[in-house]
Amino acid sequence: MAHDAPAAPSGPQKLVISNIGLVLSGDLERPILDADAVVAVDGRITAVGRFADLDTEGATTLVDAGGAALAPGLIDSHVHPVAGDWTPRQNQIGWIDSCLHGGVTTMISAGEVHMPGRPRDIVGLKAMAITAQRIFAGFRPSGVKLHAGAPVIEPGMVEQDFADLASAGVRLLGEVGLGGVKDGANAREMVAWARKHGIQSTIHTGGPSIPGSGLIGADVVLEADTDVVGHINGGHTALPDAEIRCICEGCKRGLELVHNGNERAALYTLRTAKEMGELNRVILGTDAPAGSGVQPLGILRMISMLSSLGDVPAEVAICFATGNTARMRALDCGLIEAGRSADFVLMDKAQHSAGKDLLDSIRLGDLPGIGMTVIDGIVRSGRSRNTPPAGRVPTVLHG
């Protein structure tokens, strides 16, 4: 396929990125690190700090960041893949590659619901989930890590079905409520079975998004007790503020804000989480592909919107799309720290932005310019074809 991931290089690999102007950790507790260099060996971060203090000898790939900022690769917590890098929802090829150019290096499936003829019977939905899990475990479009195989639960499923899925490698449920299970009691029982067998769950929140879905209100969300409250700001239609607050205060689960939702409701949720001192619960997704299309810059737009209109520092908003999601989803990426996957996005303020630097430009509502993405220590893309041009762009010196 045109966007197959590049073949992994042979032999030990050492990546050194130097001359970094700003290191954003993805960690709410310490979002900015005192560092100007990162070292990764065989796809994992081994050291972060000052270039003069690190072992940089023997680099197989050496990148001069040119003063640009380095952050963890962005994570889209809510996508709906189908087959490779094609989506029938928009009949578009290359949508995942386009999102890589928006800084996204990891995606989480909320269900392969746009598959033409998607089976609703239990044997069929399990088979499709296992197939999707296998496909994206073995194929990374443009190198992007897509965690897929997320079955949509249907009436009649029993605990053994979830045990079967887990034993086959399935680790996610599709959005509860997109199938035939729409009541809190049945959803809660199945979510508990899934959790018992190591499968994480997400629920549809708000009004219907596609034919077959329906309204899922606060009462069902709280009773179902999924691990993530999917698009709490609606996908697209949001719940009333009182119900959003009820969810925020009534559980301690993840609060997912999506690009394809209600922006005012997203800001209301953010303010509520901030009042509660629980910004660690906020994670970001796009809910794409959808009826509104594919948004390659959707995660960047959410970061910019939440910072500029939600009154949170840009470095904190970036944590919503990196470390917060990584911890909630039990991923080995999303944070700049030793032992984590070497997935990075290098970016700078866009040319001619009114901001004095990257963080200030995001706070003012501008999108950053992306100069490079790295996945598993391998450079996957250079200057983005989708973002505005970055002021400073990294250069591969050798490798």
Side-chain angles (χ1 to χ4, degrees):
M1 293 181 68
H3 297 299
D4 282 359
S10 59
Q13 298 296 307
K14 183 172 184 177
L15 168 71
V16 174
I17 304 178
S18 65
N19 196 20
I20 302 169
L22 175 70
V23 177
L24 300 165
S25 70
D27 185 353
L28 280 176
E29 298 299 317
R30 191 185 174 199
I32 298 176
L33 300 180
D34 180 16
D36 64 5
V38 173
V39 179
V41 175
D42 293 338
R44 295 204 168 270
I45 301 170
T46 56
V48 183
R50 292 292 168 184
F51 183 82
D53 301 327
L54 304 181
D55 175 12
T56 59
E57 294 298 317
T60 53
T61 302
L62 178 60
V63 174
D64 181 347
L70 178 143
L74 305 180
I75 304 168
D76 188 336
S77 178
H78 194 124
V79 298
H80 291 292
V82 172
D85 206 356
W86 168 70
T87 168
R89 185 67 173 170
Q90 294 296 331
N91 194 24
Q92 181 173 332
I93 294 174
W95 71 278
I96 296 172
D97 181 71
S98 286
C99 292
L100 174 69
H101 280 259
V104 173
T105 58
T106 297
M107 294 176 163
I108 309 293
S109 174
E112 296 78 37
V113 295
H114 302 315
M115 172 66 76
R118 174 171 65 90
R120 266 70 167 180
D121 66 290
I122 295 171
V123 172
L125 72 87
K126 287 164 62 178
M128 193 181 86
I130 294 167
T131 299
Q133 188 276 332
R134 294 288 195 276
I135 287 171
F136 286 103
F139 171 64
R140 292 183 178 178
S142 300
V144 174
K145 300 172 180 176
L146 206 167
H147 299 267
V152 176
I153 58 175
E154 295 287 352
M157 294 183 75
V158 298
E159 182 177 351
Q160 188 59 47
D161 293 317
F162 296 90
D164 293 343
L165 287 164
S167 66
V170 171
R171 295 291 178 264
L172 300 165
L173 285 190
E175 289 178 67
V176 174
L178 292 186
V181 177
K182 300 181 188 297
D183 66 292
N186 281 325
R188 185 181 185 89
E189 182 177 45
M190 293 187 187
V191 164
W193 287 334
R195 187 174 290 128
K196 176 180 176 181
H197 293 283
I199 300 174
Q200 192 178 66
S201 55
T202 299
I203 193 166
H204 176 94
T205 309
S209 57
I210 61 173
S213 64
L215 171 67
I216 302 293
D219 55 343
V220 176
V221 171
L222 292 175
E223 187 173 7
D225 191 34
T226 56
D227 298 296
V228 174
V229 180
H231 51 61
I232 190 172
N233 62 318
H236 301 270
T237 309
L239 296 173
D241 289 355
E243 292 198 45
I244 291 175
R245 180 171 285 276
C246 180
I247 293 170
C248 292
E249 295 178 346
C251 72
K252 296 297 180 183
R253 303 301 185 181
L255 304 174
E256 183 185 75
L257 306 178
V258 300
H259 182 272
N260 286 347
N262 182 311
E263 292 181 343
R264 192 202 63 80
L267 292 167
Y268 178 79
T269 303
L270 178 66
R271 288 195 301 271
T272 303
K274 188 160 56 171
E275 289 169 11
M276 296 172 64
E278 296 180 350
L279 288 179
N280 61 299
R281 294 170 61 190
V282 177
I283 63 176
L284 306 184
T286 59
D287 197 8
S292 56
V294 172
Q295 300 83 28
L297 307 185
I299 296 297
L300 287 178
R301 288 188 174 280
M302 288 297 293
I303 290 169
S304 178
M305 189 267 288
L306 295 174
S307 178
S308 60
L309 301 180
D311 195 29
V312 296
E315 62 270 26
V316 170
I318 288 170
C319 294
F320 300 157
T322 54
N324 278 13
T325 312
R327 285 174 169 149
M328 195 167 296
R329 297 291 196 174
L331 303 175
D332 69 351
C333 55
L335 293 161
I336 305 299
E337 63 182 23
R340 293 273 176 172
S341 182
D343 299 348
F344 311 126
V345 55
L346 288 105
M347 53 189 169
D348 193 28
K349 74 170 185 174
Q351 292 177 11
H352 306 296
S353 168
K356 64 180 184 294
D357 55 29
L358 170 70
L359 299 181
D360 189 47
S361 71
I362 293 172
R363 185 187 63 80
L364 292 176
D366 284 337
L367 298 182
I370 289 177
M372 181 177 288
T373 60
V374 175
I375 302 177
D376 290 334
I378 301 170
V379 175
R380 303 293 184 170
S381 65
R383 173 170 263 172
S384 172
R385 65 173 182 264
N386 293 328
T387 65
R392 291 174 287 192
V393 180
T395 303
V396 178
L397 300 181
H398 73 76

